[in-house]
Amino acid sequence: MTKKQRQDKIIEIVGSHDITTQEMLKKYLEDIGIDVTQATLSRDINELNLKKETDGIYKYTVPLKNMVECPAILKDSVVDIVYAMNTVVIKCHTGMAQAACATIDKMQCTGIVGTIAGDDTIFVLMPNENSAAELCGNLRDMIM
């Protein structure tokens, strides 16, 4: 297995499970047949820029730019993405915003404070303008 394949699996695991420790991540990797040393795992976590965020518990999160691929629902529903100050505004086709918002929530992107969706618009609250600009750019790169 190549380093890229291993790191893609790490992103997949962290994106779909609440991984709170390196030991837990190592166990998930071993369960799918990937043996990795603690030192290698630490380097992978650092290179992937995984951060520990809290959502009731401290767990690893995947920065949006490291997501393996964009979920189809986002590509099919998003029309435009802009930001103002610390808020990212995502315009969607009518009736698609709530599904797209749920997908963004599930992606556990680093830095998102909260999301809210209406019928065709999603508001994503970020901690500051720089993080909003980064999320906006990353989403555009993935979707558009």
Side-chain angles (χ1 to χ4, degrees):
M1 172 168 282
T2 68
K3 176 180 177 180
K4 169 94 170 89
Q5 291 171 321
R6 182 182 67 245
Q7 288 185 346
D8 285 348
K9 283 294 181 190
I10 291 170
I11 290 169
E12 184 180 315
I13 291 167
V14 170
S16 59
H17 300 283
D18 289 341
I19 304 297
T20 57
T21 65
Q22 286 186 17
E23 293 79 22
M24 183 184 279
L25 180 55
K26 188 175 187 313
K27 175 78 169 96
Y28 270 95
L29 289 167
E30 288 171 353
D31 288 349
I32 59 171
I34 301 172
D35 290 322
V36 63
T37 66
Q38 197 69 38
T40 299
L41 188 56
S42 289
R43 279 192 297 276
D44 285 343
I45 288 170
N46 189 42
E47 288 175 16
L48 292 170
N49 199 28
L50 300 183
K51 302 286 186 219
K52 274 205 169 176
E53 302 279 333
T54 184
D55 183 21
I57 60 168
Y58 279 99
K59 61 185 178 183
Y60 285 104
T61 58
V62 179
L64 185 61
K65 65 183 177 186
N66 286 344
M67 292 302 291
V68 177
E69 62 183 61
C70 180
I73 187 75
L74 293 181
K75 287 184 179 182
D76 293 342
S77 60
V78 174
V79 175
D80 194 20
I81 305 166
V82 296
Y83 75 95
M85 302 293 285
N86 65 327
T87 304
V88 177
V89 179
I90 303 169
K91 295 297 286 179
C92 299
H93 292 291
T94 303
M96 298 297 294
Q98 291 184 10
C101 187
T103 301
I104 291 169
D105 289 341
K106 199 172 176 183
M107 292 168 63
Q108 300 178 349
C109 304
T110 301
I112 292 179
V113 175
T115 59
I116 189 167
D119 192 46
D120 65 356
T121 306
I122 301 168
F123 289 120
V124 181
L125 183 64
M126 300 299 290
N128 55 54
E129 188 169 355
N130 288 339
S131 60
E134 182 180 354
L135 178 66
C136 187
N138 289 337
L139 282 171
R140 280 186 186 148
D141 290 346
M142 283 180 68
I143 296 168
M144 306 183 139

